[in-house]
Amino acid sequence: MESASELVEFPLLLTPIDSHYRACTIPYRFPSDNPRKPTPTEISWIDLFLNSIPSFRKRAESDSSVPDAAAKAEKFAQRYADILEDLKKDPESHGGPPDCILLCRLRELVLRELGFRDIFKKVKDEENAKAISLFKNVVQLNDAIEDEGKRLENLVRGIFAGNIFDLGSAQLAEVFSKDGMSFLASCQNLVPRPWVIDDLDTFKMKWSRKPWKKVIIFVDNSGADIILGIMPFARELLRRGSQVVLAANDLSSINDVTCSELVEIISKLKDEQGHLVGVSTSNLLISNSGNDLPVIDLTRVSQELAYLASDADLVILEGMGRGIETNLYAQFKCDSLKIGMVKHPEVAQFLGGRLYDCVFKYNEVSS
């Protein structure tokens, strides 16, 4: 865990941050609620985290880098379940009242205390290898679309399709273990537009005017998400003259891609000239976001990212954790885009949409 002194506020958040920014999107409680009694929303979210324990335990058991993994995985399951049950009895225990950031942090703390650093490593490596082999094909299919608006929509659909590879969602972890995931089929099978939040047409109009000089993208999962979803989109931005900064986690958390993994992935995607299928990467930067969770509090990012972001004119938060469960309503000093798929029934209910619905929330700041 990084020490708090190393983390700073993301410089593009609208100020004053205290009155404008709250990281978690869904309020689990209101000031009028009894602080000693869990709210119905808290209980349903604690249950969601309880239900994910078996799939995490299974991953932990098979972590060959940890001696005595099976016994430690059992200990993790027990310890984390006990913490969650405590929070149901007393919401103020364990640093509560709980929100999605605390529930994720407590899970990571228990795993790390038992020596589990990266229980999804094997599946991440397998998925990355599969996706890397498909990258060129996906990019060429996009490049063949001559109409700029249609090409953009296809790239966006690719981000949603890639974002399905999320092993933090119990339902998807189940689907995934059965049959893997066909990326192109997923692109075709997205829920029909209009999506639950759908600003794609406005974004298309702005896109056609080629406006952004520097784009920060907070990335999400390994595998198809980063390689077949985000990278073709980032490549298109590079091709159109934007500088692109990919911000990835410092430490491993579920199957999210880390900064060091991303450096390795991109070196494998480049050809001998250092290009991404014919597009120069001289304007592509990779930054450590300073984060170690599948959600993000933008008042705590690395100094490196804060420095790189200070002159950006578009911020993109991709994925359910960073762009929907946290930061959906975050306001920025520049244009922003939150893009992700709804993979928890509780989130779908909050937004008034369907499970596996898509969020494409674009906010333009008038210059």
Side-chain angles (χ1 to χ4, degrees):
M1 298 293 215
E2 288 209 32
S3 71
S5 63
E6 293 169 1
L7 299 174
V8 296
E9 290 169 346
F10 187 65
L12 295 172
L13 282 173
L14 201 60
T15 51
I17 289 172
D18 291 352
S19 56
H20 280 108
Y21 181 69
R22 199 185 67 218
C24 295
T25 301
I26 303 176
Y28 289 8
R29 64 168 48 241
F30 294 97
S32 55
D33 289 319
N34 178 345
R36 305 310 298 260
K37 197 167 171 269
T39 66
T41 309
E42 281 171 346
I43 288 173
S44 74
W45 278 89
I46 290 169
D47 284 342
L48 182 139
F49 278 81
L50 274 166
N51 293 337
S52 74
I53 291 176
S55 70
F56 277 76
R57 183 179 64 206
K58 210 167 145 192
R59 298 272 170 209
E61 277 169 1
S62 56
D63 186 343
S64 55
S65 71
V66 176
D68 218 6
K72 286 179 181 162
E74 186 51 53
K75 224 177 242 179
F76 153 74
Q78 198 51 59
R79 244 181 236 181
Y80 188 49
D82 288 347
I83 289 172
L84 295 176
E85 293 298 347
D86 286 349
L87 284 164
K88 276 188 181 181
K89 292 190 204 85
D90 175 8
E92 292 187 310
S93 62
H94 302 287
D99 57 22
C100 65
I101 293 176
L102 181 68
L103 295 175
C104 288
R105 180 162 300 292
L106 290 168
R107 183 173 61 197
E108 291 300 333
L109 279 170
V110 177
L111 283 166
R112 288 171 195 159
E113 276 169 8
L114 289 163
F116 293 108
R117 294 273 168 260
D118 191 1
I119 60 173
F120 289 84
K121 181 160 181 23
K122 186 168 175 285
V123 69
K124 286 193 298 186
D125 290 347
E126 287 165 4
E127 287 312 308
N128 287 339
K130 253 188 263 179
I132 287 168
S133 71
L134 298 170
F135 175 72
K136 194 173 177 184
N137 185 14
V138 167
V139 163
Q140 286 168 341
L141 287 170
N142 276 313
D143 285 359
I145 301 170
E146 280 172 25
D147 179 282
E148 199 175 60
K150 284 182 181 154
R151 184 161 69 238
L152 172 63
E153 183 161 346
N154 204 54
L155 286 161
V156 166
R157 286 177 176 278
I159 293 175
F160 287 127
N163 197 228
I164 293 172
F165 174 54
D166 178 358
L167 300 179
S169 154
Q171 285 103 325
L172 287 173
E174 190 60 32
V175 168
F176 205 82
S177 63
K178 286 202 180 73
D179 60 3
M181 188 194 97
S182 156
F183 177 73
L184 293 171
S186 303
C187 284
Q188 303 311 316
N189 296 336
L190 296 178
V191 297
R193 291 185 65 195
W195 299 315
V196 64
I197 301 178
D198 192 334
D199 298 326
L200 180 56
D201 295 339
T202 317
F203 186 75
K204 264 188 195 173
M205 279 164 59
K206 182 85 192 233
W207 176 273
S208 65
R209 302 200 297 270
K210 304 189 168 69
W212 301 289
K213 290 192 279 294
K214 189 176 195 180
V215 183
I216 306 288
I217 307 178
F218 286 88
V219 300
D220 188 19
N221 305 307
S222 301
D225 192 349
I226 181 68
I227 296 162
L228 306 180
I230 287 295
M231 288 309 300
F233 181 78
R235 173 183 172 274
E236 189 72 7
L237 284 166
L238 292 167
R239 180 156 85 164
R240 296 159 55 85
S242 299
Q243 190 177 23
V244 177
V245 179
L246 301 176
N249 268 14
D250 178 30
L251 301 178
S252 300
S253 185
I254 53 178
N255 61 321
D256 290 5
V257 70
T258 65
C259 183
S260 56
E261 288 165 349
L262 187 51
V263 169
E264 196 180 317
I265 287 167
I266 289 173
S267 72
K268 289 177 180 168
L269 294 178
K270 287 179 186 175
D271 60 21
E272 301 78 64
Q273 285 79 46
H275 289 178
L276 289 172
V277 194
V279 174
S280 165
T281 54
S282 60
N283 270 333
L284 177 65
L285 297 169
I286 302 164
S287 175
N288 179 337
S289 68
N291 190 41
D292 58 1
L293 297 175
V295 287
I296 192 167
D297 176 350
L298 292 174
T299 62
R300 298 169 53 80
V301 302
S302 71
Q303 292 176 28
E304 171 197 359
L305 177 61
Y307 173 75
L308 287 171
S310 56
D311 60 342
D313 49 4
L314 174 62
V315 174
I316 300 176
L317 290 136
E318 186 250 347
M320 184 173 68
R322 290 170 192 75
I324 303 176
E325 288 180 348
T326 55
N327 301 305
L328 182 63
Y329 302 129
Q331 293 174 281
F332 295 92
K333 296 171 186 170
C334 63
D335 291 0
S336 63
L337 173 63
K338 289 85 175 225
I339 176 167
M341 184 176 274
V342 176
K343 294 169 287 195
H344 285 152
E346 292 74 3
V347 179
Q349 190 187 341
F350 174 77
L351 294 174
R354 306 151 283 188
L355 192 61
Y356 310 125
D357 212 325
C358 300
V359 166
F360 192 95
K361 183 171 169 41
Y362 174 58
N363 289 90
E364 188 173 347
V365 169
S366 45
S367 48

